């Protein structure tokens, strides 16, 4: 059998990329040297900032795995968000902080899921539980993931444990949490080098809101008006994806990391689900969702309830 492959979800974010690197390192520390961190998509600007800061290469890009490959999944447990032949792989472990999403395995596995804001927080606990020292580089990877997923502790997904762990990791990493965190988050808002198609796939998650086939994509920004200058092009791209995937709804969240609001663009035959869920009126397919920054806690469950 070949290497054990560790990877996060498609359209990887900072948590997925860093968690792959962190758990691969943990596995090696525990004696499993034949393990490789991988990724299921391109690295975004925010993650690129982290990797450049640490002078690290991105994990190996893969599109699929060979049947029978041993794998460890991080930051996801959804069949839609992983390799297409995951049912033919041997899943050894899953470490995640999302809801259960339907993966089925033939054999028992190690499954660790906790209701925290970030997989990085769970990783910290795994190092501590196994008595493995967290060095400066690994601490920076973990705290970067926590900053990303909790929007520097501003997201409603953030728990007290995330804050406690984030502060402790920042000490080990020897970084100014606020300064480094804002620079990292702002790096992720630079969309200048991306095409419209790339923007619409940067952090897109396909999900069923009951029977409503939906894609919810989220992009972070320091200026909603700047992103909205591309609205016509974004809508053309969204309609193209709706037609290609047979979607009922495409929701684009443009999240202001400074003021903690999201401008939403909603297209598709079920676009009124946004109005029903948030008590807003879509004008020219868009509305401001005040205080909404978390797809996981403030979008998917609320819209599912109203679907």
């Amino acid at each position: 059998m070949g290497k054990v492959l560790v990877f996060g979800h498609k359209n990887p974010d900072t948590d997925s990329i860093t968690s792959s690197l962190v758990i691969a390192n943990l596995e090696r520390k525990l004696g499993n040297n034949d393990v490789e961190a991988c990724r299921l998509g391109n690295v975004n600007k925010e993650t690129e900032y982290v990797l450049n800061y640490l002078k690290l290469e991105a994990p190996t890009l893969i599109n699929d795995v060979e049947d029978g490959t041993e794998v460890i999944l991080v930051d996801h447990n959804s069949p839609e968000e992983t390799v297409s032949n995951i049912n033919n792989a041997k899943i050894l472990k899953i470490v995640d902080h999302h809801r259960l999403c339907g993966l089925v395995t033939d054999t028992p596995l190690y499954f660790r899921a906790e209701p925290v804001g970030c997989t990085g927080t769970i990783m910290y606990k795994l190092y501590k539980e196994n008595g493995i020292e967290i060095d400066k580089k690994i601490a920076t990877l973990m705290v970067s993931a926590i900053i990303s997923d909790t929007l520097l502790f501003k997201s409603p997904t953030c728990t007290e444990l995330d804050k406690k762990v984030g502060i402790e990791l920042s000490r080990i990493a020897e970084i100014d949490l606020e300064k480094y965190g804002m620079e990292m988050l702002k790096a992720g808002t630079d969309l200048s080098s991306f095409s419209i198609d790339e923007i619409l796939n940067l952090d897109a998650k396909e999900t069923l809101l009951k029977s409503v086939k939906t894609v919810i994509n989220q992009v972070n920004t320091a200026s909603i008006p700047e992103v909205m200058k591309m609205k016509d092009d974004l809508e053309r791209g969204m309609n193209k994806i709706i037609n290609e995937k047979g979607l009922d709804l495409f929701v684009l969240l443009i999240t202001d990391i400074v003021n903690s609001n999201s401008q939403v663009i909603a297209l598709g035959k079920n676009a009124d689900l946004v109005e029903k869920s948030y008590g807003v009126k879509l004008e020219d397919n868009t509305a401001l969702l005040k205080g909404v920054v978390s797809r996981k806690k403030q979008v998917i469950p609320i819209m599912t309830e109203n679907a």
Side-chain angles (χ1 to χ4, degrees), residues 148-187:
S148 175
D149 268 17
T150 69
L151 290 178
L152 200 51
F153 309 140
K154 291 179 183 177
S155 171
T157 60
C158 184
T159 67
E160 287 303 314
L161 182 60
D162 293 303
K163 292 179 186 177
K164 180 181 176 182
V165 169
I167 291 167
E168 173 60 23
L169 288 169
S170 71
R171 293 194 187 109
I172 300 171
E174 298 177 3
I175 61 169
D176 181 318
L177 192 55
E178 189 71 27
K179 183 174 182 292
Y180 172 86
M182 283 309 298
E183 287 175 353
M184 188 195 94
L185 290 173
K186 285 182 178 178

Side-chain angles (χ1 to χ4, degrees), residues 88-306:
N88 297 328
K90 183 177 181 182
I91 304 174
L92 301 180
K93 299 180 181 181
I94 298 176
V95 183
D96 194 16
H97 68 123
H98 295 93
R99 64 188 177 121
L100 298 181
C101 292
L103 273 180
V104 176
T105 62
D106 293 329
T107 57
L109 75 161
Y110 177 90
F111 191 99
R112 181 72 169 263
E114 296 190 23
V116 291
C118 179
T119 313
T121 301
I122 307 170
M123 297 287 179
Y124 171 87
K125 294 176 73 174
L126 289 175
Y127 272 71
K128 291 295 184 180
E129 289 165 10
N130 284 283
I132 304 298
E133 182 183 357
I134 299 172
D135 63 31
K136 186 175 177 180
K137 189 169 287 188
I138 292 297
T140 305
L141 288 170
M142 287 191 212
V143 74
S144 298
I146 294 171
I147 291 166
S148 175
D149 268 17
T150 69
L151 290 178
L152 200 51
F153 309 140
K154 291 179 183 177
S155 171
T157 60
C158 184
T159 67
E160 287 303 314
L161 182 60
D162 293 303
K163 292 179 186 177
K164 180 181 176 182
V165 169
I167 291 167
E168 173 60 23
L169 288 169
S170 71
R171 293 194 187 109
I172 300 171
E174 298 177 3
I175 61 169
D176 181 318
L177 192 55
E178 189 71 27
K179 183 174 182 292
Y180 172 86
M182 283 309 298
E183 287 175 353
M184 188 195 94
L185 290 173
K186 285 182 178 178
T189 68
D190 179 12
L191 302 175
S192 59
S193 65
F194 292 110
S195 67
I196 292 297
D197 284 346
E198 287 171 332
I199 291 170
L200 292 175
N201 282 283
L202 276 176
D203 191 14
K205 292 189 186 294
E206 192 168 328
T207 184
L208 278 175
L209 307 177
K210 293 181 181 172
S211 62
V212 180
K213 188 177 182 183
T214 306
V215 164
I216 302 174
N217 187 26
Q218 186 170 27
V219 294
N220 290 338
T221 183
S223 171
I224 287 175
E226 279 300 308
V227 181
M228 290 297 284
K229 289 178 182 178
M230 299 183 282
K231 181 174 178 290
D232 289 347
D233 290 333
L234 289 169
E235 288 188 350
R236 276 192 287 272
M238 290 166 69
N239 278 320
K240 179 184 173 187
I241 294 170
I242 287 170
N243 291 330
E244 288 174 350
K245 293 181 177 260
L247 300 177
D248 301 309
L249 176 63
F250 192 125
V251 175
L252 175 62
L253 290 171
I254 304 165
T255 300
D256 183 340
I257 62 170
V258 178
N259 298 301
S260 299
N261 298 313
S262 290
Q263 190 79 27
V264 63
I265 300 175
L267 296 177
K269 65 182 182 182
N270 288 90
D272 62 345
L273 181 55
V274 172
E275 297 180 324
K276 184 179 177 183
S277 299
Y278 297 100
V280 295
K281 179 68 176 174
L282 290 173
E283 296 184 6
D284 196 19
N285 306 317
T286 186
L288 180 67
L289 305 184
K290 293 182 179 179
V292 173
V293 296
S294 170
R295 173 173 47 197
K296 184 166 65 174
K297 277 204 170 183
Q298 294 175 298
V299 179
I300 291 176
I302 290 172
M303 292 185 65
T304 299
E305 183 180 333
N306 286 281

Side-chain angles (χ1 to χ4, degrees), residues 63-78:
N63 295 312
D64 231 320
V65 298
E66 293 183 9
D67 289 353
T69 301
E70 293 182 328
V71 301
I72 297 173
L73 307 186
V74 294
D75 196 31
H76 74 298
N77 70 87
S78 167

